[in-house]
Amino acid sequence: MAVQKAPFGRRFLRACLSLFRPVIALNYAAGAQTRVSTEAPDDAPYGLIEGPRVLHLLVVGGLSGSSIGVQSFELGVAHQFAENLARATGRGVEWESLAPGRPRLPGIAASVRGLDGLGSFDFIVLSPGVMDVLSFAPLRLWRQELERLLVFLAEKTSSRARVLVTGIPEVSGYAQVGPMISSILSDDSRRFSAAVAEACARTPKVEFVEMPPVEKSDFVGGAFNYASHYRRWGVFLASRATAQLG
């Protein structure tokens, strides 16, 4: 999927919008249909499901790594992934969820590069891009940062490791903005996701995955149910990992 260059007018408008990001962020937090939670768990972001031949997995970045919107990391993607992987394989699974203090890609990259023991992980799930799209980040620089991070992961992980990099979900539904800005966010989501797919295709041990989209079942009483969404993501990731294990 080739990444098409946006028209000059859109690029200029996006650059202007990036300057007003703090003001626009108030709308994101207020949310319309899909209120963006700012609450994150404060318990331990790691755990162990006991069993033989323990597998090690890391989930980093984005909603997946932060587990925002739920009260415990055990309701987040990493633990849901681990539970389903343990059930499918009969093996033990040690899991860790990493939520960088700076949620955009440079912050995620810095956190990953600062980790000890990258060589111990069998699966790493990297979820970049949501906050970058919502921040109207320039795609060219973002893509270069992503490519450097993927090469780093390919070099620093073990030969058995697999890195699953998630596409950028449709983020316009996360923001209470007008049609024009919503259109830019939708376009950017597609373009950033295409850039992720291209970067993954060029990097060994790295696979691009489209996570399951938001469904009606993810809403309870008109509010977004993060726990429901994370459960489905965990099931999906476990199925991909199990297939790779053979």
Side-chain angles (χ1 to χ4, degrees), residues 96-153:
E96 181 175 349
S97 189
L98 177 62
R102 293 180 295 146
R104 293 176 59 181
L105 183 58
I108 293 173
S111 296
V112 170
R113 289 190 172 93
L115 279 177
D116 292 325
L118 273 176
S120 68
F121 291 107
D122 297 283
F123 294 98
I124 296 176
V125 179
L126 176 65
S127 294
V130 170
M131 292 307 300
D132 301 273
V133 170
L134 290 174
S135 300
F136 308 103
L139 176 58
R140 182 179 63 82
L141 296 177
W142 186 88
R143 178 169 49 195
Q144 292 172 355
E145 181 73 56
L146 177 67
E147 290 172 348
R148 289 192 293 267
L149 177 57
L150 295 185
V151 170
F152 174 83
L153 285 170

Side-chain angles (χ1 to χ4, degrees), residues 78-99:
H79 183 255
Q80 298 298 319
F81 178 9
E83 274 197 331
N84 284 280
L85 186 59
R87 189 177 302 117
T89 62
R91 299 173 64 171
V93 182
E94 186 172 23
W95 60 273
E96 181 175 349
S97 189
L98 177 62

Side-chain angles (χ1 to χ4, degrees), residues 157-177:
T157 51
S158 72
S159 59
R160 71 179 185 280
R162 291 297 178 268
V163 180
L164 305 178
V165 187
T166 64
I168 315 301
E170 171 57 70
V171 300
S172 63
Y174 288 77
Q176 186 178 5
V177 293

Side-chain angles (χ1 to χ4, degrees), residues 23 54 64 113 116 138 142 191 206 220 231:
V23 176
V54 174
S64 302
R113 289 190 172 93
D116 292 325
W142 186 88
R191 287 160 43 76
V206 175
V220 177
R231 279 196 300 272

Side-chain angles (χ1 to χ4, degrees), residues 4-236:
Q4 301 296 322
K5 192 172 184 178
F8 172 77
R10 283 201 172 226
R11 286 183 281 127
F12 178 77
L13 180 56
R14 186 186 299 112
C16 293
L17 289 170
S18 67
L19 298 176
F20 294 96
R21 171 67 180 85
V23 176
I24 298 171
L26 296 176
N27 287 321
Y28 295 158
Q33 178 184 7
T34 328
R35 293 184 180 274
V36 178
S37 174
T38 57
E39 298 180 0
D42 58 5
D43 58 348
Y46 52 84
L48 171 66
I49 298 174
E50 294 187 358
R53 296 182 297 141
V54 174
L55 294 163
H56 301 266
L57 63 87
L58 169 69
V59 177
V60 57
L63 295 178
S64 302
S66 64
S67 296
I68 62 171
V70 294
Q71 296 181 338
S72 169
F73 279 102
E74 291 198 351
L75 297 174
V77 173
H79 183 255
Q80 298 298 319
F81 178 9
E83 274 197 331
N84 284 280
L85 186 59
R87 189 177 302 117
T89 62
R91 299 173 64 171
V93 182
E94 186 172 23
W95 60 273
E96 181 175 349
S97 189
L98 177 62
R102 293 180 295 146
R104 293 176 59 181
L105 183 58
I108 293 173
S111 296
V112 170
R113 289 190 172 93
L115 279 177
D116 292 325
L118 273 176
S120 68
F121 291 107
D122 297 283
F123 294 98
I124 296 176
V125 179
L126 176 65
S127 294
V130 170
M131 292 307 300
D132 301 273
V133 170
L134 290 174
S135 300
F136 308 103
L139 176 58
R140 182 179 63 82
L141 296 177
W142 186 88
R143 178 169 49 195
Q144 292 172 355
E145 181 73 56
L146 177 67
E147 290 172 348
R148 289 192 293 267
L149 177 57
L150 295 185
V151 170
F152 174 83
L153 285 170
E155 292 175 348
K156 298 299 182 180
T157 51
S158 72
S159 59
R160 71 179 185 280
R162 291 297 178 268
V163 180
L164 305 178
V165 187
T166 64
I168 315 301
E170 171 57 70
V171 300
S172 63
Y174 288 77
Q176 186 178 5
V177 293
M180 180 177 63
I181 297 178
S182 179
S183 175
I184 290 175
L185 291 174
S186 294
D187 181 58
D188 280 0
S189 296
R190 291 188 294 269
R191 287 160 43 76
F192 275 64
S193 202
V196 176
E198 285 190 357
C200 291
R202 292 193 297 268
T203 312
K205 298 193 295 184
V206 175
E207 179 185 353
F208 173 76
V209 295
E210 286 280 11
M211 296 287 258
V214 173
E215 295 183 354
K216 290 182 179 180
S217 60
D218 293 323
F219 293 89
V220 177
F224 187 60
N225 186 338
Y226 287 88
S228 167
H229 203 53
Y230 294 157
R231 279 196 300 272
R232 290 196 297 107
W233 281 8
V235 170
F236 171 79

